[in-house]
């Protein structure tokens, strides 16, 4: 990074054209200092080099909305090192240039294509355009490893759209008007034509005589390595990654989607926004401006929150589409209908859940209670789990259904890795509130009892194919209003142990409960409601599951799990058949509760120390307060995993209360 700084300082001064040694005024964007890149920094390393050589008059940094990396990180580094610096709003940069107060701009990069097109934090393109208008040199500073000659142009770079809440909310409080649409891309792509030079640790990439960059030639010249051939877009033949513009054309070309939007003839009035709240897929809402809308969900060939470094099969979309259709058949009141499944494009088009439907997790974090949530989710769990099990369809039909559906191997392997293995090992994916929970995380890695319990749960997860599960039923996979509830996001669906789905939802309720002490305002009523949800979810599930079982689960012949010849006096069962059935059902449901609580504990543990956490906890600003809440959740999770076979739901509620108030 010091080499980048040295080359960059000289390049900026030469481009500005001031007398040799004269100090210059520089503007930068986002954070490219030691807090983001380690050590000296890239773009901020250039600024540091200018200062060390007495050639820095002033450094301006943009706040960098919506995460404010410039205000929180770059401004901190500038102030800490006592540089002559000023923080400005992103929208003030052009005005600052117009006043003649900026001599050069230098920014970092997340990826540089062969033609110099550069992907960087959103707002970079704005600066480049303003520099071009005002005649100001615009430089990119990045290590050789960021230069990607195998990517032909910036058009081949997939840009992620981030959740709307990053713009509409501040510190958990909504600041934007309700009902307004949001477009929130993480990055933009600055055309190479607007870039003066690309600064690396091996020198500065300059434009050719044709006024274009040849990044691959530069990389070959300084490293001796041939650039890899331009990579085709990831995905199967016929796959194109959609964005908020191309998704409109996609819907117009698919009759099933276009019909839900009033017909392709209205394409010019359609609009789209990305609303994904998860770690895996991209989700777009397309509406026609007249009350018609659909959800378009696309799976890219990698984990969204990690990127191409973690490949993931797009077959998961087929699993999700079939699981949605199956679940909708069993529980149409709580599962949205699917309009279209497009295998080559890895796309599902489904019913749009109109406002005021909201992702439940966001509502809970905001302090909202949903009176019908627990009963509705309990109903969903009972009808889908019973309906797809051998209790309903019989053993032979279950085996055929499992074979036809497949194993969803990639998603199951991911689950086994991040839930049952990594939290108890020194895994690079793990992270937690540090240093507050360092000792707690270390204790997990040394807890022999817990490791054994985790492996036992993993065995049941892998070997028990009792029913078609949602596979990742958390509060971010449920949308609701005061009177309606819908379960979405079935991409982890597989045939597995029923308790995994039940436990996943209970775990998220308990995590939300333990997070309440870190949320703003009086949360006493919310705490009571969340624990009631734990009891009501299980109670509704148990009641409805047994009702369905008693009504249709005693089958003719021997194909079912409770054949009539054993449990129906009308079919010839001897003894008190009804009492025998009731006793068997009680034992079955007790085992199901044990599984549910064990899986709940494992889910809670991984959400504190594993790769993906929950907004309930992460939204707590004070790390000391957050750590207290998380530690209570960890203790609850451990007890659930180790004591699952001895606990009732009432015991769990009492335990949660005791752990929170201890």
């Amino acid at each position: 990074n010091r080499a980048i700084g040295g080359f960059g300082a000289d390049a900026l001064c030469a481009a500005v054209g001031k007398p040799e040694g004269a100090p210059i005024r520089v503007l930068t964007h986002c954070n490219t200092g030691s807090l983001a890149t380690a050590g000296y920094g890239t773009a901020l390393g250039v600024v540091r080099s200018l200062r060390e050589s007495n050639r820095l008059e002033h450094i301006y940094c943009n706040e960098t909305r919506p995460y404010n990396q410039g205000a929180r990180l770059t401004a901190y580094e500038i102030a800490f090192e006592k540089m002559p610096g000023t923080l400005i709003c992103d929208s003030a940069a052009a005005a600052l240039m117009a006043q003649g107060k900026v001599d050069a701009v230098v920014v970092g990069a997340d990826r540089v294509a062969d033609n110099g097109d550069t992907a960087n934090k959103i707002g970079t393109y704005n600066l480049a355009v303003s520099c071009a208008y005002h005649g100001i040199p615009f430089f990119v500073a990045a290590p050789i490893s960021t230069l990607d000659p195998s990517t032909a142009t910036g058009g081949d770079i997939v840009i992620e759209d981030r959740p709307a809440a990053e713009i509409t909310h501040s510190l958990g409080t909504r600041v934007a008007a309700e009902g307004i649409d949001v477009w929130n891309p993480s990055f933009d792509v600055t055309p190479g034509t607007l870039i003066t030079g690309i600064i690396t640790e091996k020198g500065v990439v300059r434009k050719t005589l044709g006024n274009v960059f040849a990044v691959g030639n530069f990389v070959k010249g300084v490293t001796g390595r041939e650039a890899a051939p331009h990579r085709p877009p990831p995905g199967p033949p016929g796959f194109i990654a959609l964005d908020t513009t191309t998704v409109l054309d996609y819907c117009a070309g698919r009759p099933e989607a276009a019909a839900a939007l009033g017909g392709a003839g209205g394409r010019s009035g359609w609009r789209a926004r990305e609303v994904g709240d998860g770690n895996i897929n991209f989700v777009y809402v397309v509406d026609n401006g007249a009350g018609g809308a659909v959800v378009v969900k696309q799976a890219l060939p990698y984990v969204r929150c990690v990127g191409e470094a973690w490949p993931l099969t797009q077959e998961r979309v087929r699993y999700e589409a079939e699981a949605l259709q199956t679940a909708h058949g069993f529980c149409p009141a709580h599962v949205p209908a699917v309009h279209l499944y497009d295998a080559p494009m890895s796309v599902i088009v489904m019913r749009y859940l109109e406002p005021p439907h909201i992702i439940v997790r966001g509502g809970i974090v905001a302090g909202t209670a949903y009176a019908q949530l627990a009963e509705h989710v309990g109903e969903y769990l009972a009808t889908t789990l019973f309906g797809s099990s051998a209790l309903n369809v019989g053993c032979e039909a279950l085996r055929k259904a499992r074979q036809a559906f497949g194993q969803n191997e990639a998603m199951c392997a991911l689950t086994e890795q991040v839930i049952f293995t990594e939290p108890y090992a020194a895994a690079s994916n793990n992270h937690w509130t540090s240093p507050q929970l360092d000792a707690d995380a270390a204790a997990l890695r040394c807890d022999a009892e817990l490791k054994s319990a985790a492996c036992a749960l993993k065995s049941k997860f892998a070997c028990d194919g009792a029913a078609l599960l949602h596979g990742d039923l958390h509060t971010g996979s449920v949308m609701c209003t005061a009177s309606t509830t819908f379960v979405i996001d079935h991409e982890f669906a597989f045939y597995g142990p029923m308790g995994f789905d039940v436990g996943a939802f209970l775990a998220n309720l308990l995590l939300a409960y333990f997070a309440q002490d870190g949320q703003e305002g009086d949360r006493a009523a919310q705490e009571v409601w969340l624990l009631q949800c734990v009891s009501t979810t299980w109670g509704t599930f148990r009641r409805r599951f047994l009702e369905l079982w008693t009504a249709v689960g005693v089958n003719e012949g021997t194909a079912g799990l409770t054949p009539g010849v054993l449990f129906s006096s009308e079919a010839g069962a001897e003894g008190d058949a009804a009492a025998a059935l009731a006793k068997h059902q009680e034992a079955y449901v007790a085992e199901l509760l044990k599984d549910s609580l064990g899986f709940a504990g494992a889910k809670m543990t991984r959400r504190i120390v594993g790769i993906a956490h929950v907004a309930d906890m992460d939204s707590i600003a004070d790390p000391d307060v957050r750590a207290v809440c998380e530690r209570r959740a960890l203790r609850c999770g451990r007890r659930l995993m180790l004591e699952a076979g001895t606990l009732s739901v009432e015991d769990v509620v009492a335990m949660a209360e005791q752990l929170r108030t201890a």
Side-chain angles (χ1 to χ4, degrees), residues 482-565:
S483 59
T484 60
T485 304
F486 288 91
V487 177
I488 59 174
D489 294 346
H490 289 65
E491 67 263 23
F492 279 82
F494 75 111
Y495 276 86
M498 298 184 196
F500 188 75
D501 265 7
V502 179
F505 191 69
L506 296 181
N508 277 260
L509 293 174
L510 289 167
L511 285 166
Y513 170 74
F514 285 113
Q516 294 306 301
D517 285 327
Q519 302 293 346
E520 295 181 357
D522 182 0
R523 293 298 182 108
Q526 187 83 342
E527 291 161 1
V528 171
W529 171 72
L530 284 165
L531 290 185
Q532 287 175 343
C533 282
V534 172
S535 299
T536 303
T537 299
W538 172 257
T540 301
F541 166 76
R542 181 184 183 281
R543 174 178 56 80
R544 289 289 293 125
F545 190 89
L546 291 175
E547 287 175 356
L548 291 167
W549 188 351
T550 301
V552 299
V554 179
N555 315 106
E556 295 182 5
T558 60
L561 287 185
T562 47
V565 293

Side-chain angles (χ1 to χ4, degrees), residues 1 8 15 69 180 224 253 275 298 349 366 383 387 400 485 505 515 581 610 643:
N1 284 349
Q69 294 98 322
I180 188 68
V275 296
Q298 185 177 47
V349 181
T383 53
K400 290 180 178 179
T485 304
F505 191 69
L581 176 63
E643 303 172 26

Side-chain angles (χ1 to χ4, degrees), residues 432-476:
W432 53 82
T433 302
S434 181
Q436 290 87 345
L437 293 186
D438 287 356
D440 302 83
L444 285 175
R445 300 193 295 271
C446 299
D447 194 326
E449 280 188 286
L450 211 55
K451 289 180 181 180
S452 179
C455 288
L457 289 166
K458 184 177 182 180
S459 177
K460 181 169 281 289
F461 177 89
C463 302
D464 180 355
L468 181 57
L469 309 189
H470 178 282
D472 192 28
L473 186 57
H474 51 71
T475 50

Side-chain angles (χ1 to χ4, degrees), residues 614-628:
V614 291
D616 310 78
M617 294 293 186
D618 284 352
S619 62
I620 301 173
D622 188 323
D624 291 325
V625 175
R626 181 169 66 247
V628 170

